[in-house]
Amino acid sequence: MTAPLVTILDDEPAIRSMLTDALEEAGFRTLSFARAQAFNAALAQHKPDVCLVDLSLPDTDGLTLVHKLALEQGAIVIIISGRALVQDKVTGLELGADDYIIKPFDPAEVVARIRARLRTSKPAQTVGQIARFSGWRVFFDQYIMEDDDGQQTAFSHAEGEVLRLFLENPKRLISRAQMQDSLGGAASESFDRAMDVRISRLRTKLRDDPKVPQLIKTIYGAGYIFLGDVEWL
């Protein structure tokens, strides 16, 4: 079995070297880059499982790149940044990042976070990659949802994690605590805000009115219930 590929995009040589050593010692394959241009070119030939991205890059806006990766690559995106303000973290998670690690960090923590994310992103053995419900089909291997008319809408890896959690547990209450356990998050204001944004975006893409929900219903003070009948193909 091929080891997961982790790409490292950071303009600090010491950070790249430290992460490369720690990840390869832990059994991962790595590719590291100092510039976004070289990183983007490599994506044409390699499909990473995890992307570590610094926000302060010399040749592009890190947040814009994170959003692009989340929508187009289907990889787990983890921000590594010296920006420690809560709003920076919230913005990164809102744009599709799966996790946010503040510098300075222990490389062992990065390895642990990556392993946790890879575990939560693996589908259950009994569940497929295509789900059908209420006039929609979701292709988790392509990060695409398609309506009955064939119109397709992309979703990010982070949005896909939330959607899969709903579809694997239809018509059952999912609490915030269960979401934290299942999605590998820690109880915090930024996690709650990120979940709210991801659910809001899923509702928009599924054309589900939160005032009269047909698919994702909020149970105030308790969590969410997915109302549709789900068939896995």
Side-chain angles (χ1 to χ4, degrees):
M1 182 177 180
T2 304
L5 174 62
V6 181
T7 57
I8 305 160
L9 177 56
D10 195 299
D11 65 339
E12 297 182 56
I15 296 290
R16 295 198 305 275
S17 177
M18 177 180 67
L19 288 172
T20 296
D21 289 346
L23 288 164
E24 291 185 352
E25 184 176 343
F28 294 96
R29 294 178 298 136
T30 66
L31 292 171
S32 65
F33 307 90
R35 298 289 187 271
Q37 183 177 4
F39 170 75
N40 286 326
L43 292 180
Q45 298 180 341
H46 302 279
K47 184 175 177 56
D49 299 284
V50 180
C51 298
L52 300 178
V53 181
D54 183 24
L55 295 184
S56 300
L57 299 169
D59 60 340
T60 194
D61 175 64
L63 287 172
T64 300
L65 179 60
V66 164
H67 187 52
K68 182 174 183 290
L69 288 172
L71 287 177
E72 297 180 3
Q73 288 300 315
I76 296 168
V77 181
I78 299 177
I79 293 172
I80 49 174
S81 176
R83 302 180 191 177
L85 295 178
V86 171
Q87 187 54 49
D88 290 323
K89 187 173 183 179
V90 168
T91 300
L93 295 171
E94 286 179 347
L95 289 175
D98 295 274
D99 207 344
Y100 192 112
I101 301 174
I102 298 172
K103 297 178 182 178
F105 49 72
D106 187 320
E109 178 188 1
V110 179
V111 172
R113 297 267 197 109
I114 289 173
R115 283 176 170 161
R117 285 294 169 186
L118 287 171
R119 282 196 301 270
T120 59
S121 69
K122 289 180 180 178
Q125 294 298 313
T126 56
V127 175
Q129 289 293 316
I130 303 174
R132 182 164 58 195
F133 60 91
S134 306
W136 290 93
R137 286 194 301 169
V138 177
F139 301 86
F140 282 98
D141 56 341
Q142 301 176 51
Y143 294 88
I144 291 290
M145 56 179 69
E146 181 180 85
D147 66 16
D148 278 343
D149 295 326
Q151 182 176 341
Q152 296 186 338
T153 304
F155 57 88
S156 70
H157 180 275
E159 292 165 351
E161 284 190 325
V162 177
L163 182 57
R164 181 180 280 279
L165 180 61
F166 284 148
L167 298 185
E168 289 179 353
N169 300 277
K171 300 183 179 178
R172 291 172 53 191
L173 177 67
I174 300 175
S175 68
R176 289 278 184 170
Q178 288 173 305
M179 296 181 79
Q180 289 161 7
D181 290 341
S182 298
L183 303 179
S188 66
E189 177 185 349
S190 58
F191 178 86
D192 287 345
R193 175 79 180 276
M195 288 302 102
D196 289 341
V197 170
R198 290 170 194 175
I199 291 168
S200 176
R201 287 180 174 171
L202 285 173
R203 280 173 167 154
T204 298
K205 292 175 179 182
L206 292 169
R207 303 166 204 151
D208 192 37
D209 185 351
K211 295 180 180 178
V212 190
Q214 302 299 310
L215 291 175
I216 302 173
K217 182 177 182 179
T218 301
I219 308 298
Y220 291 99
Y224 301 92
I225 295 177
F226 188 81
L227 302 174
D229 293 315
V230 181
E231 178 186 5
W232 289 91
L233 306 176

